[in-house]
Structures are given as structure tokens and as C-alpha cells.
Amino acid sequence: MAGILAAIPAANALLNVFSALAIGTGVFFIRRGWRDRHRQAMWTAVALQVVFLCLYLVRMGLSGVTYYQGPPLFRAVYLLILGSHMLLAMVSAPLVAVTVWQGWRGRLALHRRVGRWTYPVWLYVTVTGPVVYLLLRDSL
């Protein structure tokens, strides 16, 4: 069990990387007017994030918080990235839900308006997640 728990942070970092790629790809597709491809890419990103969230909650429930142990010089940078990541992760979840719901319901005008805010916030969260992982991993 300990081996599986130890592998979850790396798996979550990879899930975030692939989710960020799917988000960027989805935006690329919609800017070219390729709605079906956009939809597929964004559903892929959502699915990856659902798997991420499940694994994250399992790991947190079973092993708790990991504290930064790296050089004190980088602690402030780590805390700044972690704080912004956590805050925007809390914001991104309802933004993603609203954006997906509006797109799924065919309310494209509202989907676009909310999506313009959702995209950069969600992308930031999926990019900073692996950064936080790397900063923690290198501090162990």
C-alpha cells in the first residue's frame, strides 16, 4: 500500500501535465472553429482532472499533508506558487463546472463568456500542480 501511495503524487503531476495539454489543444481547436475536436479535448481534460481529484483525495485521506523540506531560500517561492495554486484550484472547479455545463446545454454565448475566464485559471492550476510536485519532490 505504501508503494501505491508513494506513486500517486507523480501520477497526479502527469495527469496535470496531460490535462494542461488537453486544455491548450481544446483552445487551439475552438479558435480554428473545430467544435467536435474542441469538445473531445475538453472532455479529456475534465476526465483527467476527475481522476486526479480522486487520487488526490485518496492520498490526502490516507497519508496527509507533505511539508516543504527544501532550502529556506526557495521556501517563499514555493509558498507563493502553492498558495496561488490552491486558491485558483478552488476557483477553477466551479468555473470549469459552469463552463462545461453551459457548453453541454448548448448555451454557447454564456459558455464562451465564462470560458474566457476559465481557460487561463484552469491552465494555471494544471501547470502549477506539477511545479509544486517538483518543488516538494526535490525537497525530500
Side-chain angles (χ1 to χ4, degrees):
M1 181 65 123
I4 293 172
L5 280 177
I8 290 176
N12 275 346
L14 284 174
L15 287 167
N16 268 326
V17 167
F18 289 124
S19 186
L21 291 171
I23 294 165
T25 301
V27 170
F28 173 83
F29 287 155
I30 201 60
R31 288 185 177 162
R32 276 146 190 81
W34 302 337
R35 283 188 182 177
D36 288 338
R37 289 181 179 180
H38 167 74
R39 186 179 304 112
Q40 291 169 350
M42 299 317 275
W43 277 116
T44 298
V46 169
L48 290 168
Q49 289 298 282
V50 167
V51 173
F52 162 85
L53 184 58
C54 291
L55 288 174
Y56 179 80
L57 292 174
V58 165
R59 191 195 65 76
M60 289 297 289
L62 294 176
S63 65
V65 177
T66 303
Y67 294 96
Y68 180 76
Q69 302 294 319
L73 180 64
F74 297 119
R75 183 175 173 79
V77 172
Y78 166 76
L79 291 174
L80 180 66
I81 294 170
L82 177 64
S84 64
H85 171 79
M86 290 175 60
L87 176 66
L88 290 175
M90 289 184 283
V91 170
S92 74
L95 276 176
V96 169
V98 168
T99 304
V100 168
W101 178 254
Q102 298 307 327
W104 188 60
R105 300 293 296 166
R107 299 178 181 144
L108 299 183
L110 185 54
H111 173 77
R112 279 189 291 273
R113 277 198 306 272
V114 178
R116 284 190 180 103
W117 290 94
T118 304
Y119 160 63
V121 171
W122 194 16
L123 188 62
Y124 179 83
V125 170
T126 60
V127 168
T128 56
V131 170
V132 167
Y133 164 74
L134 290 172
L135 289 169
L136 274 177
R137 189 193 72 161
D138 288 344
S139 73
L140 299 176

